[in-house]
Amino acid sequence: MTAVATRVRGTLGRFSPSRAARALGIPGVAAAALIAVVLTVTLLAPVLAPYDPDQPDLFNSLAGSSAAHPLGGDALGRDVLSRLMWGARTTLSGPVLIICLSTVVGTALAVTAAWAGGKVDAVVSRLLDVLFAVPGIVFALITVAVLGPGVTGVVLGLAVAYTPYVARVVRSAALRERNMPYVAAAWVQGRSAFAICVRHLLPNLRPIIVAQSVSALGFAVIDLAAISFLGLGVQPPTADWGLMVKSGLDSATRGQPLEALGAGLLIVLVVAAVIVLGDRLGKEGDQR
Amino acid sequence: MSDFVIEAAGLRKEFGQAVAVDDVSFTLSRGQSLAVVGESGSGKTTVARMLVGLETPSGGSISVCGRPRRGGRVSSAERRRRAREIQIVFQDPYSSLDKLQRIGDVVETSLALHFPLTPAERRRRALELLEAVGLAERHASMLPRQLSGGQRQRVAIARAIAVEPEVLVLDEAVAALDVSIQAQILNLLADIRERSGISYVFISHDLAVVHQISDFAVVMSGGRIVERGDTRDLLRDPQEEYTQALRAAVPRPGWKPTRRQPA
């Protein structure tokens, strides 16, 4: 009986929607819900989008809202709603890739530095400080200068820029964890450093890594959109929110503000939701 | 070959300018129990950490099971061999277990490192060990936070003896537990010693505890050994002023704290 009860409690302890909701609070749940809606629409864009996002239609050029085109058309008459749906894919996949890269590299650097200590830690920490001092946009400009405009260069540049953002926080948490007696016990038992880092440190650091990467994701969305706005990231005719803000500005001066407004509003909402969620996840991590 | 499981000679440890341990020598015979007594900051925990290889001595030498311990980089195989000679149980039963690791896994990980067992054999052996420290099968699937401090300390002991070491260092291992649980753990340790012939190095500030568990004791103060001898004699008739003060500092029934003169 007790064993069963314990096992049930153990399972519930790991994840339950109501527990997660309570931990996230109302802002966190709202943010998670918004992100879920955006992701669903993004994934289902081929099904949900009423038109081909790249198909010009001169009769719809700079048209306002209508039953056939709820958000009207852009300068080339492409359906704005469809472009926003498809554009979510490029706008969001870039930042996700950036954060995946910087989380993996940043965590590896952070745990190595915290474990090795001494000179290794000093070198890694100084390197992170230097990277941290350079704004992400500058890195992206450097890689774009080398690799030419396009998503690849920007993603690489921003991945480097976001590495210290993850690594610094994870390193200080890893230092705390590394000095716990259970780590010393594992060492005295003869466990290898690698096994201790992978089996003990990483699982215990996971909440902090997740919280930090999610907030970094919010900033990466802004940065990538800004770079596309500048014309160095995603290239036309691909649909992208940052690009749509730019082309939408022209349309707005010619009486069709919905393109720039829609894309701008989506960027703000998604970024705010992601940052709120990251913040709540971080708070939850602190309470454990 | 000598029958000493530990021979420490002229141990010294400096942290920067500070000298934590200075010229500490002692031996421990097989199956015996040695207490290292002293107040906070006397260097006794540093001695424990040097014995198990968590700190490198600045000077002096340590031999465990007749083999000298050299500092510097040590291969994994050598570290595992050393692990089978000496193990440690820490003071704080809360932070000495990974909060995400289930109790059964704690012991099984320890077994997997040292013995070529099939998963089924390992599982059975882990349950035997948990039983040996007074835990039940149902505890194996629990997380540390579901156990009390005393139960967690039993897990830490099971993890250490799973390796079947010659020596077990207990660094204030009962200090964080309340008195009745202390007694249970001390009894458990006495049982284990009787059954397995293991040797203990018992680091403590608590003379009552030391009295129950150890045959010999060394008293440390300011990083040096100030007195040594048979535990019973030492406690009954301390020669050194420091040991007398340490003994007198133990609260007893009827004991009243001496009040300072009001300023």
Side-chain angles (χ1 to χ4, degrees):
Chain A
M1 272 307 282
T2 336
V4 171
T6 309
R7 212 164 304 137
V8 169
R9 223 180 310 135
T11 325
L12 288 180
R14 252 190 250 165
F15 184 79
S16 86
S18 66
R19 231 179 68 97
R22 224 174 309 135
L24 289 177
I26 294 170
V29 172
L34 183 80
I35 293 166
V37 170
V38 170
L39 284 182
T40 312
V41 173
T42 308
L43 290 174
L44 296 179
V47 183
L48 292 178
Y51 297 93
D52 178 345
D54 297 325
Q55 182 61 52
D57 173 6
L58 290 180
F59 294 109
N60 191 35
S61 173
L62 295 177
S65 178
S66 66
H69 301 278
L71 295 179
D74 66 2
L76 296 175
R78 297 172 295 196
D79 180 57
V80 169
L81 180 62
S82 303
R83 283 183 73 72
L84 285 177
M85 287 179 172
W86 280 91
R89 301 188 148 202
T90 44
T91 313
L92 301 180
S93 61
V96 167
L97 195 58
I98 290 166
I99 296 306
C100 286
L101 284 171
S102 50
T103 300
V104 170
V105 175
T107 304
L109 278 176
V111 173
T112 310
W115 181 268
K119 278 181 193 148
V120 177
D121 187 26
V123 169
V124 171
S125 298
R126 289 302 82 75
L127 177 76
L128 293 175
D129 287 346
V130 170
L131 291 182
F132 210 61
V134 182
I137 301 263
V138 173
F139 267 110
L141 292 179
I142 295 170
T143 44
V144 164
V146 176
L147 297 170
V151 182
T152 320
V154 177
V155 165
L156 284 179
L158 288 181
V160 174
Y162 278 100
T163 297
Y165 193 90
V166 176
R168 290 226 299 197
V169 172
V170 175
R171 175 187 160 271
S172 63
L175 270 180
R176 258 200 318 277
E177 204 66 30
R178 184 223 189 294
N179 290 321
M180 296 276 282
Y182 78 82
V183 173
W187 182 254
V188 173
Q189 294 251 302
R191 267 205 126 174
S192 69
F194 183 76
I196 293 174
C197 288
V198 172
R199 295 298 177 82
H200 291 297
L201 293 187
L202 286 184
N204 279 288
L205 293 171
R206 200 199 53 183
I208 290 163
I209 297 172
V210 169
Q212 194 63 13
S213 320
V214 170
S215 355
L217 180 64
F219 293 107
V221 172
I222 302 187
D223 277 357
L224 191 64
I227 290 164
S228 296
F229 177 86
L230 293 173
L232 299 171
V234 180
Q235 297 298 308
T238 311
D240 172 86
W241 294 349
L243 269 180
M244 289 176 72
V245 172
K246 186 189 183 189
S247 59
L249 284 181
D250 279 344
S251 311
T253 58
R254 290 147 73 189
Q256 193 339 21
L258 290 175
E259 184 186 2
L261 274 181
L265 193 65
L266 277 172
I267 292 173
V268 171
L269 281 178
V270 167
V271 168
V274 169
I275 290 174
V276 166
L277 188 64
D279 181 58
R280 304 304 305 192
L281 287 172
K283 293 219 172 86
E284 193 203 2
D286 287 345
Q287 284 164 6
R288 284 158 51 102
Chain B
M1 193 186 127
S2 69
D3 211 34
F4 292 133
V5 281
I6 292 184
E7 293 172 86
L11 276 184
R12 183 179 174 83
K13 180 68 187 179
E14 296 156 13
F15 293 107
Q17 292 291 309
V19 179
V21 173
D22 186 15
D23 194 24
V24 165
S25 306
F26 57 85
T27 55
L28 175 63
S29 307
R30 195 174 297 278
Q32 294 287 4
S33 174
L34 171 79
V36 179
V37 189
E39 58 189 355
S40 304
S42 60
K44 56 194 194 305
T45 289
T46 308
V47 169
R49 293 177 66 87
M50 286 192 286
L51 287 179
V52 297
L54 288 169
E55 301 283 355
T56 314
S58 316
S61 67
I62 300 174
S63 290
V64 182
C65 301
R67 271 183 288 260
R69 290 279 171 104
R70 307 219 182 284
R73 285 204 163 275
V74 176
S75 73
S76 301
E78 170 66 8
R79 278 208 304 119
R80 281 200 299 278
R81 198 187 59 70
R82 289 180 177 188
R84 288 190 289 275
E85 291 173 350
I86 191 163
Q87 279 296 312
I88 188 166
V89 174
F90 293 101
Q91 171 171 7
D92 178 9
Y94 294 88
S95 54
S96 67
L97 299 175
D98 183 343
K99 64 179 185 292
L100 300 178
Q101 196 174 28
R102 288 178 194 281
I103 303 312
D105 292 339
V106 173
V107 182
E108 282 196 50
T109 307
S110 184
L111 291 169
L113 270 171
H114 294 281
F115 305 107
L117 300 172
T118 66
E121 288 169 347
R122 202 163 62 215
R123 178 91 196 145
R124 203 172 54 237
R125 179 79 186 117
L127 291 178
E128 278 171 23
L129 282 159
L130 287 179
E131 205 171 306
V133 298
L135 294 171
E137 188 173 347
R138 67 193 167 88
H139 293 114
S141 60
M142 292 189 182
L143 287 169
R145 65 156 183 267
Q146 294 168 293
L147 301 186
S148 68
Q151 288 172 323
R152 291 180 201 213
Q153 204 60 309
R154 290 169 190 270
V155 177
I157 292 169
R159 170 176 63 191
I161 62 173
V163 175
E164 296 170 18
E166 302 285 332
V167 187
L168 184 57
V169 179
L170 298 133
D171 183 9
E172 297 275 16
V174 297
L177 308 173
D178 60 47
V179 177
S180 59
I181 309 295
Q182 279 190 0
Q184 289 177 13
I185 299 286
L186 291 174
N187 285 338
L188 169 65
L189 290 171
D191 279 354
I192 292 171
R193 179 150 72 119
E194 218 161 274
R195 260 179 291 154
S196 61
I198 196 171
S199 316
Y200 290 143
V201 177
F202 207 91
I203 313 280
S204 184
H205 66 277
D206 188 336
L207 298 177
V209 165
V210 166
H211 183 66
Q212 282 185 56
I213 194 83
S214 66
D215 313 310
F216 298 99
V218 297
V219 179
M220 283 185 72
S221 171
R224 304 182 71 97
I225 293 182
V226 292
E227 192 167 5
R228 65 175 76 221
D230 187 274
T231 306
R232 225 170 319 144
D233 298 344
L234 205 65
L235 292 180
R236 197 187 318 125
D237 185 22
Q239 299 301 309
E240 285 293 318
E241 209 177 306
Y242 178 76
T243 318
Q244 290 165 5
L246 204 61
R247 201 182 72 148
V250 177
R252 282 179 302 274
W255 177 82
K256 282 210 186 83
T258 38
R259 286 183 67 177
R260 299 237 173 86
Q261 291 300 317

